[in-house]
Amino acid sequence: MIGAVVALIIGVAVYSFIRNNKIRKNGVEAEAVVSRIEEEQTVSSEDGVDYTYTHYVTYRNPQGETVEAKLDHAPGRTRVGDTVRIKYLPEKPHFAVLVK
């Protein structure tokens, strides 16, 4: 059971790494606004409470449509309303990475 969980975690991490590299190399750059930040609490018997924050941005695609995308690895100082530069893939517009 533990081996299956570890394999799943590793699989998700590898998939995210590959997807984000593809976005960085081939993505379309756009200006976006941080639209919301979701906070998730995880209670651990060893460490107490951990918090995970998921950032979302909105941007306009070339067709003028407003799209909301999950932002991968936003810095902790990012706040709702901040303007950021992102890259996204037109065929998967709901995932984005920050332009560094």
Side-chain angles (χ1 to χ4, degrees), residues 36-90:
R36 62 189 169 105
I37 301 171
E38 292 183 355
E39 177 184 85
E40 183 179 333
Q41 286 186 25
T42 306
V43 178
S44 169
S45 60
E46 297 172 7
D47 299 327
V49 178
D50 289 324
Y51 296 92
T52 304
Y53 299 92
T54 304
H55 293 69
Y56 293 85
V57 295
T58 55
Y59 66 92
R60 289 200 180 270
N61 65 16
Q63 294 76 30
E65 302 164 325
T66 300
V67 179
E68 183 175 62
K70 182 178 178 180
L71 187 61
D72 192 65
H73 300 294
R77 64 185 179 276
T78 306
R79 303 222 184 314
V80 172
D82 286 354
T83 300
V84 294
R85 297 293 300 171
I86 62 162
K87 280 191 171 183
Y88 68 93
L89 295 173

Side-chain angles (χ1 to χ4, degrees), residues 22-34:
K22 185 176 179 183
I23 294 170
R24 283 186 186 93
K25 288 172 90 174
N26 305 314
V28 174
E29 195 167 321
E31 185 172 280
V33 175
V34 178

Side-chain angles (χ1 to χ4, degrees), residues 9-24 70 72-73 95 97:
I9 291 170
I10 291 171
V12 169
V14 168
Y15 173 79
S16 294
F17 178 78
I18 292 169
R19 180 192 67 213
N20 292 343
N21 278 340
K22 185 176 179 183
I23 294 170
R24 283 186 186 93
K70 182 178 178 180
D72 192 65
H73 300 294
F95 293 101
V97 296

